[in-house]
């Protein structure tokens, strides 16, 4: 679908002073230092979850999730602060093939040609979508919070030198069928695969850029907020669910980024009717088992310290969300599963996407039809193994 190009990226949601976000306030980190969250943290992070005789929660389901996360947990740790393994900020000397002698560098006469090449390479390395923007430093975390390594300081000021002027954003599509089982484990398996692929794609792309003689910092959820940078890079729009909605896969993506000094040509931010559609649709709020997603009007008022100030949107209550994940024994993707933008491409779905962009007064009708067709309903997770 042809999208509208617009001038403002994530700035379109800014209504006040936006401070850089301190990663210790991210919901997964708060239980490690905030007394009132520690019980919840113990439940989510530390307690072993016994499989139970219920579709989607058996041993084979749990094994699937653990295996899906293996590459991220063992070789990247982007959810634990990053800056190691595939997310190392510099070449770490593990390459088995001969490296190029140091000091060699490509000459960039035509940044557009280099940008096309970068996108081609990122796609080869597994990216489903790739966008480029100038790096807006408001979206960098102020401090990193590392949850791995016993000897390292958990907190580190984030300083990205000015020459890292560009961000390359990689979106990884998650499996449509597996997401239908949310909140059961096969959907969490699709999430885990997404995280492992993020590390694979971003880590390899960073290494490619270093091979050209330039610097590259790959990151997953660490180092900077991914969604505003993805919006700046023209990958999608912010939605009521707090997620990025892409025109190709809706919210069914995971995001990684690579910061670089390689001269590139930024993409333009896009718009294709998400904001207006969310005004008419409450499906993510209705199907959120924890009540973490707001109904009604936009607000700039944060729910708690996991939201940043200065942004007009629908802030998510991450405390409620994590409480459900802990009770569920695995993570949840209901807000992705039920979103009308989640569907795979096909003539009917593409036609509705066109309508959402171009005939906005029909949005209530599109929402109603989505319900009538029964899209987004949870599927019995035993079907995952039988399909
Ligand atoms: S992940 Fe689940 S609990 Fe959290 S906001 Fe989305 S639907 Fe709600
Ligand atoms: S489910 Fe509806 S309201 Fe929620 S993000 Fe998707 S389109 Fe927006």
């Amino acid at each position: 679908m042809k999208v509208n190009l617009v001038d403002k990226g994530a700035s379109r949601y800014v209504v006040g002073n936006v401070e850089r976000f301190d990663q210790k306030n991210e919901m997964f980190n708060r239980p490690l230092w905030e007394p009132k969250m520690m019980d919840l943290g113990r439940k989510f992070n530390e307690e072993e979850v016994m499989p139970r005789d219920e579709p989607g929660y058996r041993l084979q389901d749990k094994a699937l999730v653990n295996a899906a996360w293996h590459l991220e947990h063992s070789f990247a740790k982007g959810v634990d602060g990053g800056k190691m393994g595939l997310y190392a900020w510099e070449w770490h000397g593990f390459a088995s093939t001969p490296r190029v002698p140091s000091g060699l560098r490509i000459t960039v006469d035509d940044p557009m040609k280099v940008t096309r090449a970068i996108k081609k390479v990122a796609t080869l390395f597994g990216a489903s979508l790739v966008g480029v923007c100038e790096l807006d430093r408001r979206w960098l975390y102020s401090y990193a919070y590392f949850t791995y390594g016993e000897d390292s300081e958990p907190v580190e000021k984030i300083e990205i030198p000015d020459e890292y002027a560009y961000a390359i954003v990689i979106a990884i599509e998650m499996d449509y069928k597996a997401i239908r089982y949310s909140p059961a484990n096969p959907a969490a398996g699709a999430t885990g695969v997404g995280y492992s692929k993020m590390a694979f794609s971003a880590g390899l792309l960073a290494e490619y850029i270093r091979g050209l003689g330039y610097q590259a910092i790959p990151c997953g959820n660490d180092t900077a907020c991914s969604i505003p940078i993805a919006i700046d890079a023209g990958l999608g729009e912010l939605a009521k669910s707090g997620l990025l909605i892409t025109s190709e896969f809706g919210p069914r993506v995971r995001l990684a980024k690579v910061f670089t000094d390689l001269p590139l040509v930024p993409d333009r931010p896009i718009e294709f009717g998400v904001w207006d559609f969310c005004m008419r649709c409450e499906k993510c709020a209705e199907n959120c088992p924890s009540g973490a997603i707001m109904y009604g009007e936009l607000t700039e008022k944060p729910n708690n310290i996991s939201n940043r100030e200065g942004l007009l949107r629908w802030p998510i209550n991450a405390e409620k969300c994590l409480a459900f994940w802990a009770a569920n024994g695995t993570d949840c993707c209901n807000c992705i599963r039920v979103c009308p933008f989640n569907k795979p491409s096909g003539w009917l779905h593409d036609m509705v996407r066109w309508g959402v962009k171009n005939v906005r007064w029909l949005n209530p009708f599109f929402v109603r039809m989505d319900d009538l067709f029964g899209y987004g309903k949870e599927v019995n997770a035993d079907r995952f193994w039988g399909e």
Side-chain angles (χ1 to χ4, degrees), residues 23 26 28 44 65-82 86-87 125-126 141 170-175 179 187-203 219-222 224 226-227 243 251-257 325 331-333 336:
Q23 199 188 2
E26 191 186 87
F28 296 106
F44 183 70
V65 177
N66 292 339
W69 277 91
H70 180 40
L71 193 130
E72 151 64 19
H73 282 327
S74 303
F75 303 104
K77 295 196 181 295
V79 294
D80 298 307
L86 287 159
Y87 289 139
F125 291 161
Y141 294 146
I170 290 169
I172 304 284
E173 181 192 7
M174 292 188 288
D175 188 80
I179 293 291
T191 302
V193 173
Y195 274 91
S196 284
K197 285 185 175 175
M198 283 160 55
F200 179 88
S201 301
C219 33
N221 285 9
D222 56 289
S226 298
I227 291 178
L243 301 169
R252 194 170 29 87
V253 292
R254 294 285 153 191
L255 299 169
K257 56 263 182 200
W325 290 24
D331 47 278
C332 158
C333 302
I336 298 175

Side-chain angles (χ1 to χ4, degrees), residues 364-376:
F365 170 74
F366 293 136
V367 176
R368 182 90 187 102
M369 291 309 287
D370 205 75
D371 289 336
L372 281 178
F373 276 95
Y375 284 118

Side-chain angles (χ1 to χ4, degrees), residues 287-290 292-293 316 321 324-325 332-335:
N287 289 278
C288 173
S290 69
I293 301 175
I316 299 304
C321 178
F324 174 73
W325 290 24
C332 158
C333 302
N334 283 16
C335 42

Side-chain angles (χ1 to χ4, degrees), residues 134-300:
E134 287 177 5
L135 178 59
D136 183 335
R137 279 150 198 279
R138 287 175 298 180
W139 313 130
L140 294 174
Y141 294 146
S142 53
Y143 291 87
Y145 196 83
F146 298 103
T147 57
Y148 64 86
E150 288 180 9
D151 301 328
S152 63
E153 280 291 312
V155 176
E156 183 178 290
K157 194 162 190 230
I158 292 196
E159 312 214 46
I160 307 278
D162 286 346
E163 61 260 28
Y164 288 81
Y166 301 98
I168 305 158
V169 185
I170 290 169
I172 304 284
E173 181 192 7
M174 292 188 288
D175 188 80
Y176 174 71
K177 284 189 174 175
I179 293 291
R180 293 178 307 161
Y181 304 108
S182 172
N185 277 302
T191 302
V193 173
Y195 274 91
S196 284
K197 285 185 175 175
M198 283 160 55
F200 179 88
S201 301
L204 267 57
L205 182 63
E207 198 61 3
Y208 172 70
I209 292 169
R210 291 173 194 136
L212 300 178
Y214 286 84
Q215 304 174 88
I217 294 176
C219 33
N221 285 9
D222 56 289
T223 310
C225 300
S226 298
I227 291 178
I229 299 177
I231 294 168
D232 287 346
L235 291 191
E237 291 188 65
L238 184 62
K240 181 175 277 186
S241 56
L243 301 169
L244 178 83
I245 304 265
T246 64
S247 71
E248 295 84 352
F249 311 111
R252 194 170 29 87
V253 292
R254 294 285 153 191
L255 299 169
K257 56 263 182 200
V258 178
F259 304 143
T260 184
D261 57 349
L262 177 67
L264 297 170
V265 178
D267 289 292
R268 293 267 303 276
I270 60 170
E271 189 276 344
F272 50 98
V274 170
W275 202 248
D276 288 341
F277 193 82
C278 286
M279 294 281 189
R280 299 287 177 176
C281 172
E282 314 245 72
K283 288 191 79 163
C284 50
E286 285 160 8
N287 289 278
C288 173
S290 69
I293 301 175
M294 282 180 58
Y295 288 90
E297 292 303 309
L298 307 152
T299 178
E300 54 185 294

